[in-house]
Amino acid sequence: DAGITQSPRYKITETGRQVTLMCHQTWSHSYMFWYRQDLGHGLRLIYYSAAADITDKGEVSDGYVVSRSKTENFPLTLESATRSQTSVYFCASIQGLGGNSPLHFGNGTRLTVT
Amino acid sequence: GIQVEQSPPDLILQEGANSTLRCNFSDSVNNLQWFHQNPWGQLINLFYIPSGTKQNGRLSATTVATERYSLLYISSSQTTDSGVYFCAALSGAGSYQLTFGKGTKLSVIP
C-alpha cells in the first residue's frame, strides 16, 4: 500500500545497545525527517534528508545516526541507547518544502530504554 | 530559527461548540501546516496553508502571513475532534526544518 511505514511499532531495549528504527515511504518524496515526541517538548527534529545521500542534523541529533542510500528508506540508529532516548519516534516525508505539499507522518515507534 | 507558539495549551468543549486555535510564528513563512494527533497517537495532516483561507468540512484555517499568525477553526465540535492540534512552520529559503509548536490539547465532552 502507498504511504509511509515505520517499524517496529514498539521496542524495548537495554542501555548501551544499538537500535535501528526503520522508515519506508512509497511516494518517492524527496524530503524525509525523524522527530521525537516527548511530554512537555512537543515534536523535535532529530535529522532530516533532502534527497538520497543528503542528510543533516536537526535540533536534537546527539546520539543518533541516519543514512539514506535509497530515496524510499531513512533508517535511524541509536548507537548506544540511553534512558533519555526513551520516546516516541516519528518519521515523516514531504515532496517539496514550497507549493501545496503536505507533510505525512508514519504511525510512530514507541521506544523504551531500560 | 523560527519560533512557533500555540494557544491555548488546553481546551475543553461541550460537543457542538465552536473553537478557535491560534498559532503565532516569529518570522515570515513559506510553509505552514496544521496537524491533528488523535488519541491513538496518529498525526494527520489537516491543512497546508502558508497564506489565505481553506476549508475542509467543519474545519477551516486562515493564515495572515503579514501579521505572523494562523487560526484553526473547528465548528460543531464532535468527540472525535479530541486530541492535540499542532501547527508547524518553515521560514525562508535554504531552511529545511519544519518547526512545531507545542500543541493545543482539545477535549470534546458529550
Side-chain angles (χ1 to χ4, degrees):
Chain A
D1 287 348
I4 182 166
T5 54
Q6 293 184 235
S7 61
R9 287 297 314 276
Y10 303 92
K11 176 73 177 177
I12 300 174
T13 192
E14 296 177 341
T15 300
R17 291 199 181 255
Q18 184 179 83
V19 178
T20 296
L21 310 183
M22 304 301 292
C23 179
H24 175 78
Q25 53 105 352
T26 60
W27 292 301
S28 299
H29 283 173
S30 298
Y31 296 88
M32 296 188 74
F33 305 83
W34 275 105
Y35 289 89
R36 60 178 288 175
Q37 185 175 31
D38 306 285
L39 270 174
H41 291 281
L43 285 149
R44 294 181 292 173
L45 182 66
I46 305 171
Y47 265 96
Y48 60 96
S49 171
D53 296 323
I54 300 174
T55 62
D56 209 345
K57 296 179 178 180
E59 178 187 355
V60 290
S61 61
D62 286 349
Y64 302 95
V65 174
V66 293
S67 63
R68 195 160 175 213
S69 57
K70 293 184 177 180
T71 300
E72 60 266 31
N73 296 325
F74 192 38
L76 176 73
T77 298
L78 287 66
E79 295 183 294
S80 178
T82 65
R83 290 198 181 89
S84 65
Q85 292 177 310
T86 293
S87 186
V88 180
Y89 291 84
F90 287 97
C91 179
S93 74
I94 193 171
Q95 176 53 33
L97 295 175
N100 191 12
S101 184
L103 182 71
H104 292 285
F105 281 90
N107 286 333
T109 294
R110 183 175 293 275
L111 176 68
T112 302
V113 183
T114 61
Chain B
I2 191 171
Q3 307 296 314
V4 179
E5 293 185 357
Q6 293 185 242
S7 60
D10 295 279
L11 186 58
I12 300 174
L13 293 177
Q14 200 78 37
E15 196 169 26
N18 302 327
S19 64
T20 301
L21 282 57
R22 187 176 180 103
C23 173
N24 291 334
F25 39 91
S26 61
D27 203 351
S28 58
V29 296
N30 59 11
N31 192 321
L32 189 291
Q33 307 201 20
W34 282 96
F35 299 85
H36 175 220
Q37 186 168 36
N38 63 27
W40 295 270
Q42 293 176 310
L43 281 154
I44 308 298
N45 190 290
L46 298 175
F47 293 104
Y48 167 88
I49 187 161
S51 63
T53 298
K54 289 187 178 178
Q55 179 148 12
N56 184 1
R58 296 180 295 102
L59 272 59
S60 64
T62 295
T63 297
V64 183
T66 53
E67 297 188 22
R68 300 183 183 173
Y69 71 88
S70 183
L71 302 174
L72 179 68
Y73 306 96
I74 304 173
S75 64
S76 304
S77 59
Q78 300 176 359
T79 55
T80 51
D81 296 328
S82 296
V84 183
Y85 290 82
F86 291 99
C87 67
L90 175 70
S91 71
S95 172
Y96 304 113
Q97 300 196 30
L98 264 168
T99 299
F100 282 76
K102 293 192 175 180
T104 292
K105 184 178 180 181
L106 175 65
S107 300
V108 181
I109 56 177

